[in-house]
Amino acid sequence: MDELLEDLLKKIKNGTYPPGSQLPSGRELADVYDVSQSTISRAVATLREQGVLVGRPGRGVFVAESSRR
């Protein structure tokens, strides 16, 4: 999961997922990274705890506006 976290953070930092943008669905990310959806959920939860991502009920998961890590 560390590689997944590192890659997501890299994509946030390089602008692939800029602040305010919505991440692909858990299913899409699981397909891209060839991991289970539960692994994606754990990674997203970790990044939410760090304040990198924010969840918007009924809308999805977004990069926090202040995410410039």
Side-chain angles (χ1 to χ4, degrees):
M1 186 172 85
D2 289 340
E3 290 177 17
L4 170 61
L5 287 170
E6 287 177 26
D7 193 60
L8 286 172
L9 285 170
K10 181 177 83 174
K11 287 181 176 182
I12 290 168
K13 186 175 183 178
N14 75 17
T16 301
Y17 301 128
S21 68
Q22 184 174 11
L23 257 55
S25 72
R27 176 173 283 153
E28 290 173 289
L29 289 172
D31 287 346
V32 167
Y33 289 101
D34 195 28
V35 296
S36 69
Q37 288 187 49
S38 64
T39 299
I40 296 295
S41 294
R42 286 195 311 273
V44 167
T46 298
L47 294 176
R48 287 177 68 179
E49 289 171 6
Q50 294 175 1
V52 176
L53 300 176
V54 294
R56 297 186 183 151
R59 295 189 57 210
V61 177
F62 294 79
V63 178
E65 291 293 338
S66 61
S67 256
R68 290 282 180 190
R69 295 177 182 242

